[in-house]
Amino acid sequence: MRPSLLQYLKLLILLAFGGVTTTHVPKPDVPSSLEALPVDGHFSFHDVFAAARDFGNMYSFPPVAVLHPSSVADIATTVRHVFLMGEHSTLTVAARGHGHSLYGQSQAAGGIVIRMESLQSNGMRVHPGASPYIDASGGELWINVLHETLKYGLAPKSWTDYLHLTVGGTLSNAGVSGQTFRHGPQISNVDELEIVTGRGDIITCSPEQNSDLFHAALGGLGQFGIITRARIALEPAPKMVRWIRVLYIGFRKLRRRPGNAHFRRENIRLY
Ligand SMILES: Cc1cc2nc3c(=O)[nH]c(=O)nc-3n(C[C@H](O)[C@H](O)[C@H](O)COP(=O)(O)OP(=O)(O)OC[C@H]3O[C@@H](n4cnc5c(N)ncnc54)[C@H](O)[C@@H]3O)c2cc1C
């Protein structure tokens, strides 16, 4: 098949403008201005290419710097610095959890990537009691949350099926698993968040306090602030569970749940 005129035109435009560019050239003074910031952690400016990849492996946007924060204040200081550059600055900031997104969502072309897993070491605190919960860093992996809560015979109410994802990464999306049908997604099982806003303020929010920010940040794809701590609802961990994977033959069959008169066992396949 011969290429059409339109395809030739597209090729010409791509050649003329250098193709799909993924590298933004930052202002030369950006690295030195970041280096001057009083942070407990550090910035890296050379080994930034790991932050230009994700699980999808389709996009690669090298940042100018990666922040390895040792404290929430490091994140606030950095975001405030970028905010004070003004609205004409093109420098962007992206939080990176475990980098398991598919389309470069946790990357920042020519900007600053904040490696949230550096905050893991800040420790987790389990609060047993009538309504148990855990306070965990936004950069904590869910597998570590599980190990910590199991020490108290507790477990989060809602999960992802795959646990090597960060608390902040899945709470910025939804967090769906086998328990979602009972408790809702992970974002419906959070009591409180600590967030660094776009101005660099550190704000605590919940359904009662700064509720707009709370509901915007949950499922907000990192666009409403950076989740630095989450208070996650727990329940007694079962001693044993049965894991069943069910393959539905079509969406209409999926909608027919057990208990529904139309449900037929032959509509599903059990593994
Ligand atoms: C193998 C695999 C298994 C998966 N299994 C499940 C599953 O069982 N259930 C499910 O629901 N999803 C699942 N996902 C999807 C997964 O939840 C999302 O891709 C999630 O974003 C990955 O989390 P992450 O920690 O890697 O975040 P990243 O990919 O690093 O970041 C995702 C987004 O969140 C933002 N972000 C990261 N951290 C923060 C923060 N602290 N504050 C604000 N924004 C932040 C980033 O900027 C980016 O926009 C799976 C993905 C993969 C690749």
Side-chain angles (χ1 to χ4, degrees), residues 55 94-101 105-106 116 138 160-162 165-166 168-170 172-173 175-176 221-222 225-227:
F55 193 90
R96 179 184 174 89
H98 206 51
H100 270 43
S101 35
Q105 292 95 328
S106 56
M116 296 303 296
T160 46
D161 289 335
Y162 179 70
L165 305 167
T166 62
T170 68
S172 299
N173 284 271
V176 178
L221 298 173
I226 296 176
I227 299 168

Side-chain angles (χ1 to χ4, degrees), residues 161-225:
D161 289 335
Y162 179 70
L163 297 179
H164 291 263
L165 305 167
T166 62
V167 167
T170 68
L171 293 185
S172 299
N173 284 271
V176 178
S177 78
Q179 291 107 320
T180 301
F181 81 98
R182 177 164 290 146
H183 294 298
Q186 289 178 323
I187 54 172
S188 302
N189 292 278
V190 180
D191 299 334
E192 188 181 283
L193 295 174
E194 179 188 75
I195 290 182
V196 173
T197 67
R199 291 171 181 267
D201 298 326
I202 303 170
I203 305 262
T204 300
C205 58
S206 68
E208 294 79 33
Q209 187 188 1
N210 300 309
S211 58
D212 282 356
L213 180 60
F214 181 77
H215 293 297
L218 290 172
L221 298 173
Q223 300 304 299
F224 298 92

Side-chain angles (χ1 to χ4, degrees), residues 75-88:
I75 298 174
T77 302
T78 305
V79 174
R80 191 175 309 119
H81 176 73
V82 174
F83 173 72
L84 291 176
M85 287 179 170
E87 60 187 69
H88 298 299

Side-chain angles (χ1 to χ4, degrees), residues 225-240:
I226 296 176
I227 299 168
T228 47
R229 179 181 57 79
R231 181 162 289 180
I232 299 153
L234 305 175
E235 65 177 5
K239 293 264 181 293
M240 195 179 284

